[in-house]
Amino acid sequence: SWDSGFQTHFRDGPFEHRSFVPSLCLQDLAIILDLAGEWFTEAGRDLILRRMAEEGLGSINFNTWKHDYIFECNQLAWFTPGRILASLILEKTWPRAAAQSDLAISDLTESLKHAILPDGGYPEGPTYFQCVSKDALLPYLVYTQARGLTMSEIVPDSVFKTEAFAELIASTDESSDCIPICDARSHMDLTGLALIAHLMPESQWVRIYRKKLSREGGKPAHLLAMNKDSEIPHEAPPFEPFIQLQEMGPVASVRSSNDCVVKLFVQGNKANAGHAHEDKGSFVLEFAGDTFLMDPGTCDYSYPNSMLLKNCERHNMLVPTGVQERPFPLNPLPFDVKPTADGDEVSFNAEIDLSPGWEGLYKKWIRTWTSSEPFLIEISDDYELARGDGVAFLLNTQLPVKVDTGGVEISGRKGVVYITTADDCEIVLETLAIDDSREQTQIRFLKKGKTGRITVSIEMEKL
């Protein structure tokens, strides 16, 4: 169980409770004792310290010792802020607890070597990456302060490799921090961004941090307390025109023309990636400061649509039509599905075989992107269906859309995108809810036939 409740506290019951709630409680108690511990009587402080040791740290240690998998995903990092803050407070009263602080940092370092891929990628997406940028780096920050060290001395090399991940997911949309792939949203935590930008001042983490800071205002207290914010540059380095993370799978192209930036992101897959969606081969198009073709990411998990947003029909995919049930690929996908791609400041080309995982629906599905100049992209799908009578080429946006002769027009603040096809297709628009406050407009190019090719051309124009 991810949450606390009767079944997890029932004595000798079989349910286990992952220590999310204990970690949050430990953080609050540690801060209270650190800031206002003198307000308590000796007996009161002893009671809180004992509960922290037995119920808080005891729960985290149990999970850490029993379950190896938490070292390979976001969970060990998630538990560590409570674990390290609590043990650092405990060691002030009981010095033998210092070994627990050292163990917490050692376990965290081991986890980050597993959870971050060798290419610096993070297969769970940018929102869960905050378990590195905030939940992992904050413990390093407070531990190094307690031990008289610097973060760069003990943070593992795997964290520094995430410069590539920042390059991949940094958004050129003026209103977004990142491209919200997987179970993600387009905004990231300010404290986490500040910590990782401070650690890597020549990376795109600086761009994401400064953009968020200028948009939302305020500054993270952790860095202000150390007078560190001034050490983060005000300007980030220029984007790399082509970035591919071979282990993680995705690829991105960033090109400019007429002082206008185009970013094209193509989703790939590392086998069995967690928090993934049914979206291998989907893509995101940003142009002139807006997102024209989107990934919906996710919404609050308490909202039912959080499950619907994982589905292939909510992404920019090719989906079979004429089948009785909802067509979908395996998820998690137990195969590496990664594009072959190349690009530079002018051109971009990619191809990906998307049939793995669609057994029983596609006999063949190969998607290609061809772009000889920044403002023109052609996307082709070669397909052969095992079932169904045709395909729907899906595109999704939150910008205004109108159907024109042979295609559609999407209007942004500083640019317009024209999407056309020479194929015999019916064009249908539908508005779909993301959550209570957001919607996406879906554009469907419907084509009949069990086998064939559908090609869509995307032309961009700066206003």
Side-chain angles (χ1 to χ4, degrees), residues 25-40 45 48-49 52 81 84-93 138 141-143 145-146 222 225:
C25 293
L26 286 173
Q27 290 181 63
D28 286 349
L29 291 172
I31 291 169
I32 290 167
L33 289 179
D34 192 38
L35 295 179
E38 68 277 8
W39 287 10
F40 293 86
R45 284 195 300 273
I48 295 172
L49 291 170
M52 292 171 72
I84 191 69
L85 289 173
S87 59
L88 287 172
I89 286 293
L90 287 171
E91 71 178 56
K92 288 185 174 183
T93 303
L138 182 59
L141 174 65
V142 296
Y143 180 79
Q145 285 180 309
H222 304 85

mmCIF file of all heavy atoms in Angstrom, residues 25-40 45 48-49 52 81 84-93 138 141-143 145-146 222 225:
data_model
loop_
_atom_site.group_PDB
_atom_site.id
_atom_site.type_symbol
_atom_site.label_atom_id
_atom_site.label_comp_id
_atom_site.label_asym_id
_atom_site.label_seq_id
_atom_site.Cartn_x
_atom_site.Cartn_y
_atom_site.Cartn_z
ATOM 1 N N CYS A 25 6.253 12.711 7.786
ATOM 2 C CA CYS A 25 6.153 13.019 9.221
ATOM 3 C C CYS A 25 7.534 13.289 9.814
ATOM 4 O O CYS A 25 7.708 14.206 10.632
ATOM 5 C CB CYS A 25 5.476 11.859 9.959
ATOM 6 S SG CYS A 25 3.742 11.621 9.519
ATOM 7 N N LEU A 26 8.520 12.494 9.407
ATOM 8 C CA LEU A 26 9.874 12.692 9.929
ATOM 9 C C LEU A 26 10.429 14.059 9.528
ATOM 10 O O LEU A 26 11.102 14.725 10.323
ATOM 11 C CB LEU A 26 10.797 11.582 9.424
ATOM 12 C CG LEU A 26 10.623 10.202 10.067
ATOM 13 C CD1 LEU A 26 11.491 9.176 9.344
ATOM 14 C CD2 LEU A 26 10.985 10.244 11.544
ATOM 15 N N GLN A 27 10.171 14.474 8.287
ATOM 16 C CA GLN A 27 10.644 15.793 7.861
ATOM 17 C C GLN A 27 10.065 16.892 8.748
ATOM 18 O O GLN A 27 10.785 17.782 9.227
ATOM 19 C CB GLN A 27 10.249 16.049 6.406
ATOM 20 C CG GLN A 27 10.991 15.191 5.396
ATOM 21 C CD GLN A 27 10.572 15.517 3.977
ATOM 22 O OE1 GLN A 27 10.780 16.633 3.512
ATOM 23 N NE2 GLN A 27 9.986 14.559 3.285
ATOM 24 N N ASP A 28 8.755 16.838 8.986
ATOM 25 C CA ASP A 28 8.119 17.873 9.800
ATOM 26 C C ASP A 28 8.649 17.861 11.232
ATOM 27 O O ASP A 28 8.963 18.913 11.809
ATOM 28 C CB ASP A 28 6.602 17.667 9.811
ATOM 29 C CG ASP A 28 5.957 18.079 8.492
ATOM 30 O OD1 ASP A 28 6.644 18.712 7.677
ATOM 31 O OD2 ASP A 28 4.774 17.758 8.278
ATOM 32 N N LEU A 29 8.758 16.675 11.808
ATOM 33 C CA LEU A 29 9.220 16.590 13.194
ATOM 34 C C LEU A 29 10.665 17.059 13.333
ATOM 35 O O LEU A 29 11.018 17.740 14.301
ATOM 36 C CB LEU A 29 9.069 15.154 13.705
ATOM 37 C CG LEU A 29 7.622 14.676 13.899
ATOM 38 C CD1 LEU A 29 7.595 13.185 14.204
ATOM 39 C CD2 LEU A 29 6.941 15.458 15.016
ATOM 40 N N ALA A 30 11.509 16.694 12.356
ATOM 41 C CA ALA A 30 12.907 17.112 12.411
ATOM 42 C C ALA A 30 13.023 18.633 12.346
ATOM 43 O O ALA A 30 13.808 19.256 13.076
ATOM 44 C CB ALA A 30 13.694 16.464 11.272
ATOM 45 N N ILE A 31 12.229 19.251 11.467
ATOM 46 C CA ILE A 31 12.279 20.712 11.333
ATOM 47 C C ILE A 31 11.768 21.380 12.607
ATOM 48 O O ILE A 31 12.330 22.377 13.089
ATOM 49 C CB ILE A 31 11.469 21.158 10.098
ATOM 50 C CG1 ILE A 31 12.190 20.700 8.824
ATOM 51 C CG2 ILE A 31 11.272 22.669 10.077
ATOM 52 C CD1 ILE A 31 11.374 20.842 7.549
ATOM 53 N N ILE A 32 10.694 20.832 13.186
ATOM 54 C CA ILE A 32 10.152 21.391 14.431
ATOM 55 C C ILE A 32 11.192 21.320 15.547
ATOM 56 O O ILE A 32 11.434 22.306 16.264
ATOM 57 C CB ILE A 32 8.856 20.657 14.827
ATOM 58 C CG1 ILE A 32 7.725 21.008 13.851
ATOM 59 C CG2 ILE A 32 8.446 20.998 16.261
ATOM 60 C CD1 ILE A 32 6.518 20.113 13.964
ATOM 61 N N LEU A 33 11.841 20.169 15.695
ATOM 62 C CA LEU A 33 12.836 20.037 16.755
ATOM 63 C C LEU A 33 14.054 20.915 16.498
ATOM 64 O O LEU A 33 14.664 21.444 17.433
ATOM 65 C CB LEU A 33 13.257 18.572 16.894
ATOM 66 C CG LEU A 33 12.212 17.619 17.504
ATOM 67 C CD1 LEU A 33 12.770 16.205 17.563
ATOM 68 C CD2 LEU A 33 11.814 18.077 18.903
ATOM 69 N N ASP A 34 14.410 21.072 15.221
ATOM 70 C CA ASP A 34 15.582 21.885 14.900
ATOM 71 C C ASP A 34 15.307 23.373 15.169
ATOM 72 O O ASP A 34 16.164 24.092 15.686
ATOM 73 C CB ASP A 34 15.957 21.669 13.431
ATOM 74 C CG ASP A 34 17.331 22.241 13.103
ATOM 75 O OD1 ASP A 34 18.230 22.133 13.956
ATOM 76 O OD2 ASP A 34 17.491 22.784 12.008
ATOM 77 N N LEU A 35 14.115 23.832 14.836
ATOM 78 C CA LEU A 35 13.793 25.257 14.964
ATOM 79 C C LEU A 35 13.260 25.618 16.346
ATOM 80 O O LEU A 35 13.453 26.753 16.799
ATOM 81 C CB LEU A 35 12.772 25.664 13.897
ATOM 82 C CG LEU A 35 13.222 25.578 12.437
ATOM 83 C CD1 LEU A 35 12.091 26.002 11.499
ATOM 84 C CD2 LEU A 35 14.447 26.445 12.199
ATOM 85 N N ALA A 36 12.562 24.681 16.976
ATOM 86 C CA ALA A 36 11.872 25.031 18.223
ATOM 87 C C ALA A 36 11.982 23.928 19.268
ATOM 88 O O ALA A 36 11.106 23.770 20.111
ATOM 89 C CB ALA A 36 10.405 25.341 17.938
ATOM 90 N N GLY A 37 13.070 23.172 19.231
ATOM 91 C CA GLY A 37 13.220 22.066 20.174
ATOM 92 C C GLY A 37 13.263 22.497 21.625
ATOM 93 O O GLY A 37 12.848 21.746 22.519
ATOM 94 N N GLU A 38 13.730 23.741 21.863
ATOM 95 C CA GLU A 38 13.842 24.204 23.246
ATOM 96 C C GLU A 38 12.473 24.489 23.868
ATOM 97 O O GLU A 38 12.361 24.699 25.077
ATOM 98 C CB GLU A 38 14.716 25.457 23.324
ATOM 99 C CG GLU A 38 14.138 26.699 22.682
ATOM 100 C CD GLU A 38 14.369 26.758 21.174
ATOM 101 O OE1 GLU A 38 14.842 25.751 20.608
ATOM 102 O OE2 GLU A 38 14.088 27.810 20.586
ATOM 103 N N TRP A 39 11.425 24.517 23.074
ATOM 104 C CA TRP A 39 10.087 24.736 23.610
ATOM 105 C C TRP A 39 9.540 23.490 24.307
ATOM 106 O O TRP A 39 8.548 23.572 25.034
ATOM 107 C CB TRP A 39 9.123 25.143 22.497
ATOM 108 C CG TRP A 39 9.330 26.554 22.008
ATOM 109 C CD1 TRP A 39 10.350 27.392 22.305
ATOM 110 C CD2 TRP A 39 8.483 27.260 21.110
ATOM 111 N NE1 TRP A 39 10.210 28.571 21.664
ATOM 112 C CE2 TRP A 39 9.054 28.541 20.904
ATOM 113 C CE3 TRP A 39 7.305 26.956 20.438
ATOM 114 C CZ2 TRP A 39 8.478 29.503 20.084
ATOM 115 C CZ3 TRP A 39 6.731 27.906 19.624
ATOM 116 C CH2 TRP A 39 7.312 29.167 19.439
ATOM 117 N N PHE A 40 10.145 22.340 24.033
ATOM 118 C CA PHE A 40 9.655 21.084 24.604
ATOM 119 C C PHE A 40 10.360 20.796 25.931
ATOM 120 O O PHE A 40 11.516 21.196 26.145
ATOM 121 C CB PHE A 40 9.910 19.924 23.643
ATOM 122 C CG PHE A 40 9.109 20.005 22.371
ATOM 123 C CD1 PHE A 40 9.575 20.727 21.284
ATOM 124 C CD2 PHE A 40 7.882 19.370 22.266
ATOM 125 C CE1 PHE A 40 8.844 20.816 20.107
ATOM 126 C CE2 PHE A 40 7.137 19.449 21.095
ATOM 127 C CZ PHE A 40 7.609 20.173 20.018
ATOM 128 N N ARG A 45 10.688 16.022 24.276
ATOM 129 C CA ARG A 45 11.663 15.775 23.206
ATOM 130 C C ARG A 45 11.991 14.292 23.106
ATOM 131 O O ARG A 45 12.094 13.739 22.011
ATOM 132 C CB ARG A 45 12.942 16.585 23.443
ATOM 133 C CG ARG A 45 12.809 18.066 23.125
ATOM 134 C CD ARG A 45 14.183 18.729 23.020
ATOM 135 N NE ARG A 45 14.938 18.605 24.258
ATOM 136 C CZ ARG A 45 14.846 19.460 25.270
ATOM 137 N NH1 ARG A 45 14.025 20.496 25.202
ATOM 138 N NH2 ARG A 45 15.573 19.293 26.366
ATOM 139 N N ILE A 48 9.251 12.399 21.267
ATOM 140 C CA ILE A 48 9.256 12.607 19.809
ATOM 141 C C ILE A 48 10.432 11.874 19.164
ATOM 142 O O ILE A 48 10.275 11.212 18.133
ATOM 143 C CB ILE A 48 9.315 14.117 19.507
ATOM 144 C CG1 ILE A 48 8.039 14.791 19.992
ATOM 145 C CG2 ILE A 48 9.490 14.349 18.000
ATOM 146 C CD1 ILE A 48 8.077 16.302 19.909
ATOM 147 N N LEU A 49 11.602 11.953 19.767
ATOM 148 C CA LEU A 49 12.769 11.263 19.214
ATOM 149 C C LEU A 49 12.546 9.757 19.178
ATOM 150 O O LEU A 49 12.941 9.079 18.218
ATOM 151 C CB LEU A 49 14.014 11.598 20.032
ATOM 152 C CG LEU A 49 14.520 13.045 19.927
ATOM 153 C CD1 LEU A 49 15.610 13.300 20.962
ATOM 154 C CD2 LEU A 49 15.014 13.348 18.524
ATOM 155 N N MET A 52 10.188 8.931 16.361
ATOM 156 C CA MET A 52 10.908 9.072 15.099
ATOM 157 C C MET A 52 11.786 7.854 14.840
ATOM 158 O O MET A 52 11.842 7.334 13.715
ATOM 159 C CB MET A 52 11.758 10.345 15.110
ATOM 160 C CG MET A 52 10.948 11.634 15.101
ATOM 161 S SD MET A 52 11.964 13.111 15.371
ATOM 162 C CE MET A 52 12.851 13.208 13.809
ATOM 163 N N PRO A 81 14.685 12.220 2.307
ATOM 164 C CA PRO A 81 14.644 13.474 3.075
ATOM 165 C C PRO A 81 14.211 13.262 4.526
ATOM 166 O O PRO A 81 14.840 13.794 5.453
ATOM 167 C CB PRO A 81 13.634 14.327 2.298
ATOM 168 C CG PRO A 81 13.745 13.839 0.905
ATOM 169 C CD PRO A 81 13.972 12.360 1.022
ATOM 170 N N ILE A 84 17.102 11.228 6.375
ATOM 171 C CA ILE A 84 18.349 11.918 6.704
ATOM 172 C C ILE A 84 18.107 13.051 7.699
ATOM 173 O O ILE A 84 18.898 13.255 8.628
ATOM 174 C CB ILE A 84 19.049 12.444 5.424
ATOM 175 C CG1 ILE A 84 20.462 12.925 5.737
ATOM 176 C CG2 ILE A 84 18.261 13.574 4.770
ATOM 177 C CD1 ILE A 84 21.415 11.828 6.090
ATOM 178 N N LEU A 85 17.017 13.790 7.539
ATOM 179 C CA LEU A 85 16.735 14.866 8.491
ATOM 180 C C LEU A 85 16.510 14.300 9.894
ATOM 181 O O LEU A 85 16.992 14.855 10.888
ATOM 182 C CB LEU A 85 15.519 15.668 8.040
ATOM 183 C CG LEU A 85 15.708 16.568 6.808
ATOM 184 C CD1 LEU A 85 14.384 17.168 6.369
ATOM 185 C CD2 LEU A 85 16.713 17.672 7.088
ATOM 186 N N ALA A 86 15.794 13.184 9.961
ATOM 187 C CA ALA A 86 15.537 12.574 11.266
ATOM 188 C C ALA A 86 16.816 12.065 11.916
ATOM 189 O O ALA A 86 17.068 12.306 13.104
ATOM 190 C CB ALA A 86 14.536 11.435 11.113
ATOM 191 N N SER A 87 17.640 11.378 11.149
ATOM 192 C CA SER A 87 18.853 10.812 11.745
ATOM 193 C C SER A 87 19.838 11.907 12.138
ATOM 194 O O SER A 87 20.545 11.790 13.154
ATOM 195 C CB SER A 87 19.507 9.807 10.784
ATOM 196 O OG SER A 87 19.850 10.415 9.554
ATOM 197 N N LEU A 88 19.881 13.013 11.379
ATOM 198 C CA LEU A 88 20.758 14.124 11.757
ATOM 199 C C LEU A 88 20.283 14.786 13.056
ATOM 200 O O LEU A 88 21.103 15.241 13.868
ATOM 201 C CB LEU A 88 20.822 15.159 10.634
ATOM 202 C CG LEU A 88 21.634 14.752 9.395
ATOM 203 C CD1 LEU A 88 21.457 15.774 8.281
ATOM 204 C CD2 LEU A 88 23.112 14.569 9.723
ATOM 205 N N ILE A 89 18.976 14.858 13.246
ATOM 206 C CA ILE A 89 18.451 15.381 14.514
ATOM 207 C C ILE A 89 18.724 14.404 15.656
ATOM 208 O O ILE A 89 19.144 14.792 16.757
ATOM 209 C CB ILE A 89 16.946 15.665 14.390
ATOM 210 C CG1 ILE A 89 16.707 16.918 13.547
ATOM 211 C CG2 ILE A 89 16.277 15.811 15.753
ATOM 212 C CD1 ILE A 89 17.202 18.201 14.198
ATOM 213 N N LEU A 90 18.518 13.125 15.387
ATOM 214 C CA LEU A 90 18.747 12.117 16.429
ATOM 215 C C LEU A 90 20.200 12.113 16.901
ATOM 216 O O LEU A 90 20.478 11.964 18.092
ATOM 217 C CB LEU A 90 18.357 10.731 15.905
ATOM 218 C CG LEU A 90 16.863 10.440 15.765
ATOM 219 C CD1 LEU A 90 16.656 9.129 15.026
ATOM 220 C CD2 LEU A 90 16.190 10.380 17.124
ATOM 221 N N GLU A 91 21.143 12.289 15.966
ATOM 222 C CA GLU A 91 22.552 12.184 16.354
ATOM 223 C C GLU A 91 23.004 13.354 17.221
ATOM 224 O O GLU A 91 24.016 13.254 17.912
ATOM 225 C CB GLU A 91 23.444 12.041 15.121
ATOM 226 C CG GLU A 91 23.568 13.290 14.260
ATOM 227 C CD GLU A 91 24.521 13.079 13.081
ATOM 228 O OE1 GLU A 91 24.300 12.132 12.286
ATOM 229 O OE2 GLU A 91 25.481 13.862 12.963
ATOM 230 N N LYS A 92 22.241 14.455 17.214
ATOM 231 C CA LYS A 92 22.579 15.555 18.124
ATOM 232 C C LYS A 92 22.360 15.159 19.586
ATOM 233 O O LYS A 92 23.049 15.650 20.488
ATOM 234 C CB LYS A 92 21.732 16.786 17.799
ATOM 235 C CG LYS A 92 22.118 17.482 16.501
ATOM 236 C CD LYS A 92 21.316 18.768 16.323
ATOM 237 C CE LYS A 92 21.800 19.546 15.105
ATOM 238 N NZ LYS A 92 21.082 20.828 14.952
ATOM 239 N N THR A 93 21.357 14.293 19.806
ATOM 240 C CA THR A 93 21.063 13.829 21.164
ATOM 241 C C THR A 93 21.736 12.487 21.442
ATOM 242 O O THR A 93 22.272 12.267 22.535
ATOM 243 C CB THR A 93 19.539 13.703 21.360
ATOM 244 O OG1 THR A 93 18.922 14.969 21.090
ATOM 245 C CG2 THR A 93 19.197 13.283 22.786
ATOM 246 N N LEU A 138 18.390 17.467 -1.765
ATOM 247 C CA LEU A 138 18.211 18.092 -0.454
ATOM 248 C C LEU A 138 18.909 17.301 0.659
ATOM 249 O O LEU A 138 19.592 17.893 1.502
ATOM 250 C CB LEU A 138 16.724 18.265 -0.154
ATOM 251 C CG LEU A 138 16.374 18.951 1.168
ATOM 252 C CD1 LEU A 138 16.974 20.345 1.238
ATOM 253 C CD2 LEU A 138 14.856 19.010 1.349
ATOM 254 N N LEU A 141 22.512 18.060 0.489
ATOM 255 C CA LEU A 141 22.766 19.418 0.961
ATOM 256 C C LEU A 141 22.891 19.458 2.486
ATOM 257 O O LEU A 141 23.875 19.980 3.029
ATOM 258 C CB LEU A 141 21.649 20.350 0.492
ATOM 259 C CG LEU A 141 21.692 21.783 1.017
ATOM 260 C CD1 LEU A 141 22.907 22.514 0.498
ATOM 261 C CD2 LEU A 141 20.418 22.528 0.627
ATOM 262 N N VAL A 142 21.898 18.897 3.186
ATOM 263 C CA VAL A 142 21.930 18.991 4.651
ATOM 264 C C VAL A 142 23.021 18.099 5.243
ATOM 265 O O VAL A 142 23.641 18.445 6.257
ATOM 266 C CB VAL A 142 20.545 18.647 5.257
ATOM 267 C CG1 VAL A 142 19.516 19.674 4.821
ATOM 268 C CG2 VAL A 142 20.086 17.250 4.888
ATOM 269 N N TYR A 143 23.293 16.961 4.593
ATOM 270 C CA TYR A 143 24.343 16.065 5.096
ATOM 271 C C TYR A 143 25.714 16.720 4.977
ATOM 272 O O TYR A 143 26.537 16.652 5.903
ATOM 273 C CB TYR A 143 24.308 14.741 4.341
ATOM 274 C CG TYR A 143 25.355 13.746 4.779
ATOM 275 C CD1 TYR A 143 25.185 12.989 5.940
ATOM 276 C CD2 TYR A 143 26.518 13.548 4.033
ATOM 277 C CE1 TYR A 143 26.138 12.071 6.353
ATOM 278 C CE2 TYR A 143 27.470 12.635 4.426
ATOM 279 C CZ TYR A 143 27.279 11.895 5.578
ATOM 280 O OH TYR A 143 28.240 10.992 5.986
ATOM 281 N N GLN A 145 26.362 19.883 4.886
ATOM 282 C CA GLN A 145 26.447 20.961 5.873
ATOM 283 C C GLN A 145 26.819 20.393 7.245
ATOM 284 O O GLN A 145 27.625 20.974 7.975
ATOM 285 C CB GLN A 145 25.109 21.698 5.959
ATOM 286 C CG GLN A 145 24.838 22.616 4.777
ATOM 287 C CD GLN A 145 23.503 23.322 4.908
ATOM 288 O OE1 GLN A 145 22.475 22.705 5.139
ATOM 289 N NE2 GLN A 145 23.518 24.637 4.758
ATOM 290 N N ALA A 146 26.210 19.241 7.587
ATOM 291 C CA ALA A 146 26.478 18.638 8.898
ATOM 292 C C ALA A 146 27.894 18.082 8.995
ATOM 293 O O ALA A 146 28.477 18.039 10.084
ATOM 294 C CB ALA A 146 25.459 17.535 9.171
ATOM 295 N N HIS A 222 16.383 27.371 0.676
ATOM 296 C CA HIS A 222 17.597 26.606 0.953
ATOM 297 C C HIS A 222 18.835 27.300 0.386
ATOM 298 O O HIS A 222 19.879 27.374 1.024
ATOM 299 C CB HIS A 222 17.474 25.195 0.357
ATOM 300 C CG HIS A 222 16.276 24.446 0.831
ATOM 301 N ND1 HIS A 222 15.050 24.596 0.239
ATOM 302 C CD2 HIS A 222 16.111 23.564 1.846
ATOM 303 C CE1 HIS A 222 14.177 23.828 0.866
ATOM 304 N NE2 HIS A 222 14.788 23.192 1.834
ATOM 305 N N ALA A 225 19.527 30.795 2.117
ATOM 306 C CA ALA A 225 20.167 30.661 3.424
ATOM 307 C C ALA A 225 21.681 30.517 3.285
ATOM 308 O O ALA A 225 22.438 30.895 4.173
ATOM 309 C CB ALA A 225 19.588 29.463 4.167
#
